[in-house]
Amino acid sequence: MVTLKDIAAACGISRATVSKVMNGYDDVSQETVRMVRAKAEEMGYLPNLAARFLKTNRTYNLGILFSDELGSGLKHEYFTGILNSFKKDAEEREYSITFISDRPGGKTMTFLEQCHYRNFDGVLVACADYGDERVYELVKSGLPIVTTDYVFAECSAVISDNAGGMQTLMEYICSLGHRKIAYIHGELTAVTRLRLASFYKCCEDYGISSDDCTVKQSRYRDPAFAAALTEELMSGRNRPTCILYPDDFALVGGMNCLERLGFCIPDDISIAGYDGSYLSEILRPRLTTVHQDTEEIGKIAAGLLIDAVENRRTWIPKHVTVPGRLVPGETVCRMKS
């Protein structure tokens, strides 16, 4: 088994210097840090986590709270993108991650109790019912916490710019001459409320009347529900010229419904999704959508959480908004004058 003494001998430096590098002290030159870490990897060094815990009072284990109120689980590309990026960056900084369950081993525990039980250094709240008292207790506990798409004053947050994304999408659609626009949205979460507010604001800015901006509530990632509402919209007297869907997956239901009813996309009806998922790259015609930068969200969340863990005395909560990107695609056409 390779020891710090072995690495020190191979590098020609003191064991104390190697120890500082392995424990993250900042009074060692970057050149020495790179040399020591490269040699440690080359020699197959594995740190003694128990000893590391005694020196730093950290377990190097981060909790992930994913309490899915929408029922889509880790099948949702938005969350898997964030978690994959978070995991990658955490592991590069030698942290492991563990999912939180409120019934570990069949025992009933609050989220905070399990964090103490697992001895987490910090927690990423990736998906949760933010009205849940257990979530509120966790946020108020003083444990380093980072949330996604929801802001608490007590902890850092990384937010996809849902209001800005909807504004960009609506401005693009309106620039092509559409003034009869329907929005089928998901459950009334904090994310949905931001998108809805932005949708209504754009309708006001472009002089779109309440009769011409139809809103219907569906569910995220529910093609069947989206299809039923699409048929309802297209059978009405005041048909929209463009329909917005809560996400790219739900859009598939709407697209199938429109094709079944004999409508051609985008010549007869324009449609747009949200998320910029893998589906947007393979559907034909290419999907008009908003790409959410999940890789950047996960990367920033990992950095904020580890910074909070390693610098408890000087840590100040930060709220970071990550912009989306319009993908024009081919499913929204210019209105004929």
Short mmCIF file of all heavy atoms in Angstrom, two decimals, residues 21-54:
data_model
loop_
_atom_site.label_atom_id
_atom_site.label_comp_id
_atom_site.label_asym_id
_atom_site.label_seq_id
_atom_site.Cartn_x
_atom_site.Cartn_y
_atom_site.Cartn_z
N VAL A 21 -0.51 18.97 0.60
CA VAL A 21 -1.14 18.88 -0.72
C VAL A 21 -2.39 18.00 -0.65
O VAL A 21 -3.47 18.35 -1.15
CB VAL A 21 -0.16 18.31 -1.77
CG1 VAL A 21 -0.89 18.01 -3.07
CG2 VAL A 21 0.99 19.28 -2.01
N MET A 22 -2.27 16.84 -0.01
CA MET A 22 -3.39 15.90 0.04
C MET A 22 -4.54 16.40 0.88
O MET A 22 -5.69 16.00 0.69
CB MET A 22 -2.90 14.54 0.60
CG MET A 22 -1.93 13.83 -0.33
SD MET A 22 -2.66 13.64 -1.98
CE MET A 22 -1.35 12.78 -2.82
N ASN A 23 -4.26 17.32 1.80
CA ASN A 23 -5.32 17.84 2.67
C ASN A 23 -5.81 19.21 2.26
O ASN A 23 -6.57 19.86 2.98
CB ASN A 23 -4.84 17.86 4.13
CG ASN A 23 -4.75 16.46 4.73
OD1 ASN A 23 -5.75 15.76 4.83
ND2 ASN A 23 -3.55 16.05 5.09
N GLY A 24 -5.36 19.68 1.07
CA GLY A 24 -5.90 20.89 0.50
C GLY A 24 -5.41 22.19 1.07
O GLY A 24 -6.07 23.22 0.91
N TYR A 25 -4.28 22.20 1.75
CA TYR A 25 -3.74 23.45 2.28
C TYR A 25 -3.29 24.35 1.12
O TYR A 25 -2.81 23.85 0.09
CB TYR A 25 -2.57 23.19 3.23
CG TYR A 25 -2.98 22.58 4.54
CD1 TYR A 25 -3.05 21.21 4.72
CD2 TYR A 25 -3.34 23.39 5.63
CE1 TYR A 25 -3.45 20.64 5.92
CE2 TYR A 25 -3.73 22.85 6.83
CZ TYR A 25 -3.78 21.46 6.97
OH TYR A 25 -4.18 20.91 8.17
N ASP A 26 -3.43 25.67 1.29
CA ASP A 26 -3.14 26.58 0.19
C ASP A 26 -1.77 27.24 0.27
O ASP A 26 -1.48 28.18 -0.48
CB ASP A 26 -4.22 27.66 0.09
CG ASP A 26 -4.37 28.45 1.38
OD1 ASP A 26 -3.54 28.27 2.30
OD2 ASP A 26 -5.32 29.25 1.48
N ASP A 27 -0.89 26.79 1.17
CA ASP A 27 0.44 27.39 1.28
C ASP A 27 1.50 26.57 0.56
O ASP A 27 2.68 26.58 0.92
CB ASP A 27 0.83 27.59 2.75
CG ASP A 27 0.81 26.29 3.55
OD1 ASP A 27 0.26 25.29 3.04
OD2 ASP A 27 1.36 26.28 4.67
N VAL A 28 1.07 25.84 -0.48
CA VAL A 28 2.00 25.05 -1.31
C VAL A 28 1.84 25.54 -2.75
O VAL A 28 0.73 25.81 -3.21
CB VAL A 28 1.67 23.54 -1.23
CG1 VAL A 28 2.67 22.73 -2.03
CG2 VAL A 28 1.64 23.07 0.22
N SER A 29 2.95 25.66 -3.47
CA SER A 29 2.89 26.16 -4.84
C SER A 29 2.08 25.23 -5.74
O SER A 29 2.03 24.01 -5.51
CB SER A 29 4.31 26.31 -5.41
OG SER A 29 4.88 25.05 -5.66
N GLN A 30 1.44 25.81 -6.75
CA GLN A 30 0.64 25.01 -7.69
C GLN A 30 1.50 24.01 -8.44
O GLN A 30 1.04 22.91 -8.77
CB GLN A 30 -0.08 25.94 -8.68
CG GLN A 30 -1.23 26.71 -8.07
CD GLN A 30 -2.28 25.76 -7.48
OE1 GLN A 30 -2.79 24.87 -8.15
NE2 GLN A 30 -2.59 25.97 -6.20
N GLU A 31 2.73 24.35 -8.69
CA GLU A 31 3.64 23.42 -9.37
C GLU A 31 3.87 22.18 -8.51
O GLU A 31 3.84 21.04 -9.01
CB GLU A 31 4.99 24.11 -9.64
CG GLU A 31 5.97 23.22 -10.38
CD GLU A 31 7.30 23.91 -10.65
OE1 GLU A 31 7.41 25.13 -10.36
OE2 GLU A 31 8.23 23.24 -11.14
N THR A 32 4.07 22.40 -7.20
CA THR A 32 4.26 21.27 -6.28
C THR A 32 2.98 20.44 -6.17
O THR A 32 3.01 19.21 -6.14
CB THR A 32 4.69 21.77 -4.89
OG1 THR A 32 5.91 22.49 -5.01
CG2 THR A 32 4.88 20.61 -3.93
N VAL A 33 1.83 21.14 -6.11
CA VAL A 33 0.54 20.44 -6.03
C VAL A 33 0.36 19.52 -7.23
O VAL A 33 -0.02 18.35 -7.09
CB VAL A 33 -0.62 21.45 -5.94
CG1 VAL A 33 -1.96 20.73 -6.12
CG2 VAL A 33 -0.59 22.19 -4.61
N ARG A 34 0.61 20.05 -8.42
CA ARG A 34 0.46 19.24 -9.63
C ARG A 34 1.41 18.05 -9.64
O ARG A 34 1.02 16.93 -10.00
CB ARG A 34 0.69 20.12 -10.87
CG ARG A 34 -0.47 21.07 -11.17
CD ARG A 34 -0.31 21.69 -12.55
NE ARG A 34 0.82 22.61 -12.59
CZ ARG A 34 0.74 23.91 -12.32
NH1 ARG A 34 -0.43 24.44 -12.00
NH2 ARG A 34 1.81 24.68 -12.39
N MET A 35 2.65 18.28 -9.19
CA MET A 35 3.64 17.20 -9.19
C MET A 35 3.23 16.10 -8.22
O MET A 35 3.27 14.90 -8.56
CB MET A 35 5.01 17.76 -8.78
CG MET A 35 6.09 16.68 -8.64
SD MET A 35 7.67 17.35 -8.08
CE MET A 35 7.27 17.81 -6.38
N VAL A 36 2.82 16.49 -7.02
CA VAL A 36 2.45 15.50 -6.00
C VAL A 36 1.22 14.71 -6.41
O VAL A 36 1.20 13.48 -6.30
CB VAL A 36 2.22 16.19 -4.64
CG1 VAL A 36 1.60 15.22 -3.64
CG2 VAL A 36 3.52 16.76 -4.09
N ARG A 37 0.21 15.40 -6.92
CA ARG A 37 -1.02 14.70 -7.31
C ARG A 37 -0.78 13.76 -8.49
O ARG A 37 -1.34 12.66 -8.55
CB ARG A 37 -2.13 15.70 -7.64
CG ARG A 37 -2.61 16.45 -6.40
CD ARG A 37 -3.95 17.14 -6.65
NE ARG A 37 -4.44 17.81 -5.45
CZ ARG A 37 -5.06 17.23 -4.45
NH1 ARG A 37 -5.27 15.92 -4.49
NH2 ARG A 37 -5.47 17.92 -3.40
N ALA A 38 0.06 14.19 -9.41
CA ALA A 38 0.37 13.33 -10.56
C ALA A 38 1.12 12.08 -10.10
O ALA A 38 0.84 10.96 -10.56
CB ALA A 38 1.20 14.11 -11.58
N LYS A 39 2.07 12.27 -9.20
CA LYS A 39 2.86 11.12 -8.71
C LYS A 39 1.97 10.19 -7.88
O LYS A 39 2.09 8.95 -7.99
CB LYS A 39 4.04 11.63 -7.87
CG LYS A 39 4.95 10.53 -7.35
CD LYS A 39 5.56 9.70 -8.49
CE LYS A 39 6.52 10.54 -9.33
NZ LYS A 39 7.19 9.69 -10.37
N ALA A 40 1.08 10.76 -7.08
CA ALA A 40 0.17 9.94 -6.26
C ALA A 40 -0.73 9.08 -7.15
O ALA A 40 -0.95 7.90 -6.88
CB ALA A 40 -0.66 10.83 -5.35
N GLU A 41 -1.23 9.69 -8.23
CA GLU A 41 -2.08 8.93 -9.15
C GLU A 41 -1.28 7.85 -9.86
O GLU A 41 -1.76 6.72 -10.02
CB GLU A 41 -2.71 9.89 -10.17
CG GLU A 41 -3.67 9.21 -11.12
CD GLU A 41 -4.37 10.19 -12.04
OE1 GLU A 41 -4.19 11.41 -11.87
OE2 GLU A 41 -5.09 9.73 -12.95
N GLU A 42 -0.10 8.21 -10.26
CA GLU A 42 0.78 7.24 -10.94
C GLU A 42 1.09 6.04 -10.05
O GLU A 42 1.12 4.89 -10.51
CB GLU A 42 2.08 7.94 -11.35
CG GLU A 42 3.11 7.03 -11.97
CD GLU A 42 4.46 7.74 -12.15
OE1 GLU A 42 4.44 8.95 -12.49
OE2 GLU A 42 5.51 7.10 -11.94
N MET A 43 1.28 6.29 -8.75
CA MET A 43 1.64 5.22 -7.82
C MET A 43 0.42 4.49 -7.25
O MET A 43 0.56 3.52 -6.51
CB MET A 43 2.48 5.80 -6.68
CG MET A 43 3.81 6.41 -7.15
SD MET A 43 4.72 7.24 -5.82
CE MET A 43 5.20 5.82 -4.81
N GLY A 44 -0.79 4.97 -7.60
CA GLY A 44 -1.99 4.31 -7.13
C GLY A 44 -2.31 4.58 -5.67
O GLY A 44 -2.86 3.72 -4.97
N TYR A 45 -2.01 5.79 -5.21
CA TYR A 45 -2.25 6.14 -3.81
C TYR A 45 -3.73 6.28 -3.52
O TYR A 45 -4.49 6.89 -4.28
CB TYR A 45 -1.54 7.45 -3.47
CG TYR A 45 -1.90 8.02 -2.11
CD1 TYR A 45 -1.42 7.43 -0.94
CD2 TYR A 45 -2.73 9.13 -1.99
CE1 TYR A 45 -1.75 7.94 0.31
CE2 TYR A 45 -3.07 9.64 -0.76
CZ TYR A 45 -2.58 9.04 0.40
OH TYR A 45 -2.91 9.55 1.62
N LEU A 46 -4.18 5.71 -2.42
CA LEU A 46 -5.55 5.87 -1.94
C LEU A 46 -5.50 6.49 -0.55
O LEU A 46 -4.86 5.95 0.34
CB LEU A 46 -6.26 4.51 -1.86
CG LEU A 46 -6.52 3.82 -3.21
CD1 LEU A 46 -7.09 2.43 -2.97
CD2 LEU A 46 -7.47 4.65 -4.06
N PRO A 47 -6.17 7.63 -0.34
CA PRO A 47 -6.11 8.30 0.96
C PRO A 47 -6.81 7.51 2.04
O PRO A 47 -7.77 6.78 1.78
CB PRO A 47 -6.81 9.64 0.71
CG PRO A 47 -7.72 9.36 -0.43
CD PRO A 47 -7.02 8.36 -1.30
N ASN A 48 -6.33 7.65 3.26
CA ASN A 48 -6.99 7.06 4.42
C ASN A 48 -8.09 8.02 4.87
O ASN A 48 -7.82 9.06 5.46
CB ASN A 48 -5.97 6.86 5.55
CG ASN A 48 -6.56 6.14 6.74
OD1 ASN A 48 -7.69 6.41 7.12
ND2 ASN A 48 -5.80 5.25 7.33
N LEU A 49 -9.35 7.67 4.52
CA LEU A 49 -10.45 8.59 4.78
C LEU A 49 -10.67 8.83 6.27
O LEU A 49 -11.07 9.92 6.67
CB LEU A 49 -11.72 8.05 4.14
CG LEU A 49 -11.72 7.99 2.60
CD1 LEU A 49 -13.04 7.44 2.11
CD2 LEU A 49 -11.45 9.36 2.01
N ALA A 50 -10.42 7.83 7.07
CA ALA A 50 -10.60 8.00 8.51
C ALA A 50 -9.61 9.03 9.06
O ALA A 50 -9.97 9.91 9.84
CB ALA A 50 -10.42 6.67 9.23
N ALA A 51 -8.37 8.92 8.62
CA ALA A 51 -7.35 9.88 9.06
C ALA A 51 -7.66 11.28 8.53
O ALA A 51 -7.48 12.28 9.22
CB ALA A 51 -5.97 9.42 8.59
N ARG A 52 -8.14 11.33 7.30
CA ARG A 52 -8.47 12.60 6.70
C ARG A 52 -9.59 13.28 7.47
O ARG A 52 -9.60 14.50 7.66
CB ARG A 52 -8.89 12.37 5.24
CG ARG A 52 -8.91 13.61 4.37
CD ARG A 52 -9.32 13.23 2.97
NE ARG A 52 -9.21 14.34 2.06
CZ ARG A 52 -9.68 14.36 0.83
NH1 ARG A 52 -10.31 13.29 0.36
NH2 ARG A 52 -9.54 15.41 0.06
N PHE A 53 -10.59 12.51 7.91
CA PHE A 53 -11.70 13.04 8.68
C PHE A 53 -11.21 13.64 10.00
O PHE A 53 -11.64 14.72 10.42
CB PHE A 53 -12.72 11.95 8.95
CG PHE A 53 -13.81 12.36 9.90
CD1 PHE A 53 -14.80 13.25 9.49
CD2 PHE A 53 -13.85 11.89 11.21
CE1 PHE A 53 -15.80 13.65 10.37
CE2 PHE A 53 -14.84 12.28 12.08
CZ PHE A 53 -15.83 13.16 11.66
N LEU A 54 -10.27 12.95 10.67
CA LEU A 54 -9.75 13.43 11.94
C LEU A 54 -9.00 14.75 11.77
O LEU A 54 -9.06 15.63 12.64
CB LEU A 54 -8.83 12.38 12.56
CG LEU A 54 -9.51 11.11 13.07
CD1 LEU A 54 -8.47 10.09 13.50
CD2 LEU A 54 -10.46 11.43 14.22
#
